[in-house]
Amino acid sequence: MRARRYPGGVKILVLGSGAREHAIVLALASDGADHEVLAAPGNAGIARDAALVDVDMMDPGAVTEFAQAHAVDLVVIGPEAPLVAGVADALRERGIPVFGPGKQAAQLEGSKAFAKRIMQNADVPTGRATHARTIDETAAALDEFGAPYVVKADGLAAGKGVIVTDDRAAALDHAAAYLPHGPVLVEEFLSGPEVSLFFLSDGDTVRPLTPAQDFKRALDGDLGPNTGGMGAYSPLPWLADGFGSIDAFVAEVTRTVAEPVIRELDRDGSPFIGLLYAGLIITDEGVRVIEFNARFGDPETQIVLPRLETSLADLLMACAEGTLEEHAAPTFRDEAAVTVVLASEGYPAATITGRKITGLDDAEQIDGVHITHAATAVENGALIATGGRVLNVVGTGSTFAQARERAYEAIGRIGLEGGQFRTDIAAAVATA
Ligand code: AMP
Ligand code: GLY
């Protein structure tokens, strides 16, 4: 492994408050160098591994002022909302290194129409889609593509903007709910396994991370409502069947998806500095993009970063400073990683928060287990759940069977009244 660029450590501010940001903080802290990691707003778990600071992550002026006043070397933006709010632009204007795209490039996630235009111009494989401005146009597009129907709201909708259904009336109702706010996208249904693949970019050079799969539905067997993600695993050994090897798959998607998109965004005048998240479906006709995000995925990050061998701080800094070309592709430990999300009762429809969490220390005693916090706070000395997805229990091991067993044994040791989790995360690969 190459020598670390910043052996004495740098001062890094991580913006966000979920398990993804906790995973980023943990990866920076275990980097081998003595970094000073700050986080805002953070949560009770992040507070154990970083210093929480009081700055409004949605306020570009406030973040910039804080970073300057405290001589922050690098700002890492976790969620999409501050990206779309222009926090990265404000930092970059003042010359502060930031990992995260500007407002315009973040439209790749913020606007499905923008993403489709970029994909079209870059000749990236994606499903056929039509923009419908009225209910009649929606109906015509639904009939053109046929069932199952896919209708998407154009803007950020926190995972609620997409419906995939055989019920034409439900598809029309979904469109009717979003049409007052702008056009909706009616898309061809794509069938096949889903893969999340992340790419680092400094606006020019692209470096892939490693594929992962998340479980978006609330219940076992991919039933129930869509959620932010109830679990994930990495790597995806079955990719070798269709592509020869995981590396060959990654190389193909880098060449056909990530590089053309990064080039097109640059041509478009909005260079993408940060993490390009490609949401893919492997169809019988080949790889298709279903969505892009402009940030690390959640919960995939929680199982991708623990496998990363390369220094995360070096990589993120290289993106921010435009020197990624000098870095080889990051490497990953050859181990299995599984994360299971523990969610509050009622999530996602009617989340009950404020309940006590117990047993974390006991759960973390298990070999190969660590826990990242998604929504926790300390109240009167007790750890409580403050949101829908509460914890990510991560198990690693030499096999998926071992990683799973560890994660599930750990989750069994955690107390949260009404807490729910899926029991089938990575089950298929553990028996393969
Ligand atoms: P998105 O917000 O675009 O990621 O969509 C959320 C979920 O809807 C995806 O993870 C897929 O499971 C599903 N989905 C989205 N677009 C399609 C499509 N064209 N065909 C099949 N499933 C889709
Ligand atoms: N894992 C889905 C997302 O981060 O959007």
Side-chain angles (χ1 to χ4, degrees), residues 19-314:
R20 163 184 52 208
E21 287 75 25
H22 196 182
I24 292 170
V25 162
L26 282 172
L28 293 169
S30 66
D31 194 78
D34 197 12
H35 302 306
E36 184 180 350
V37 185
L38 315 176
N43 61 38
I46 294 174
R48 293 190 310 190
D49 302 296
L52 300 196
V53 296
D54 187 20
V55 51
D56 178 2
M57 71 165 181
M58 291 301 294
D59 181 343
V63 174
T64 307
E65 216 169 279
F66 180 93
Q68 270 181 331
H70 295 83
V72 169
D73 297 301
L74 173 68
V75 179
V76 179
I77 302 179
E80 60 275 22
L83 298 171
V84 172
V87 172
D89 304 279
L91 288 160
R92 230 166 257 132
E93 265 166 36
R94 298 277 190 92
I96 300 162
V98 50
F99 182 82
K103 206 178 196 160
Q104 182 58 28
Q107 288 305 307
L108 201 60
E109 171 165 2
S111 159
K112 305 259 183 211
F114 179 81
K116 280 283 176 195
R117 176 167 67 77
I118 294 292
M119 280 192 265
Q120 224 155 39
N121 293 347
D123 212 10
V124 162
T126 181
R128 288 180 301 139
T130 298
H131 270 91
R133 275 167 228 87
T134 63
I135 238 2
D136 287 347
E137 286 180 17
T138 307
L142 291 176
D143 294 337
E144 184 198 335
F145 293 130
Y149 304 107
V150 182
V151 178
K152 300 184 176 183
D154 189 71
L156 287 183
K160 296 195 193 104
V162 177
I163 191 172
V164 180
T165 178
D166 282 321
D167 181 347
R168 188 173 177 276
L172 283 172
D173 281 351
H174 185 80
Y178 285 100
L179 278 170
H181 313 290
V184 297
L185 203 67
V186 179
E187 222 172 75
E188 153 189 35
F189 176 80
L190 300 168
S191 171
E194 285 183 43
V195 176
S196 305
L197 185 55
F198 304 157
F199 300 89
L200 301 167
S201 180
D202 62 1
D204 183 24
T205 299
V206 173
R207 295 285 181 255
L209 299 185
T210 188
Q213 187 170 66
D214 77 343
F215 291 73
K216 288 206 168 84
R217 301 295 191 111
L219 306 175
D220 281 5
D222 292 329
L223 299 174
N226 255 318
T227 71
M230 294 298 289
Y233 69 91
S234 174
L236 307 182
W238 46 267
L239 280 171
D241 297 343
F243 296 86
S245 68
I246 295 176
D247 286 348
F249 169 81
V250 170
E252 178 180 322
V253 181
T254 304
R255 182 175 53 79
T256 60
V257 175
E259 288 175 348
V261 162
I262 294 296
R263 262 199 308 275
E264 180 58 29
L265 284 166
D266 192 30
R267 236 192 323 262
D268 197 62
S270 40
F272 189 99
I273 298 162
L275 190 118
L276 175 68
Y277 167 138
L280 309 164
I281 291 192
I282 318 295
T283 74
D284 289 342
E285 282 81 48
V287 177
R288 298 283 182 274
V289 174
I290 46 167
E291 67 162 345
F292 285 119
N293 293 316
R295 38 122 191 124
F296 279 101
D298 187 347
E300 297 95 317
T301 301
Q302 289 86 298
I303 39 90
V304 164
L305 292 186
R307 297 187 47 233
L308 179 67
E309 289 174 319
T310 317
S311 157
L312 182 64
D314 279 10

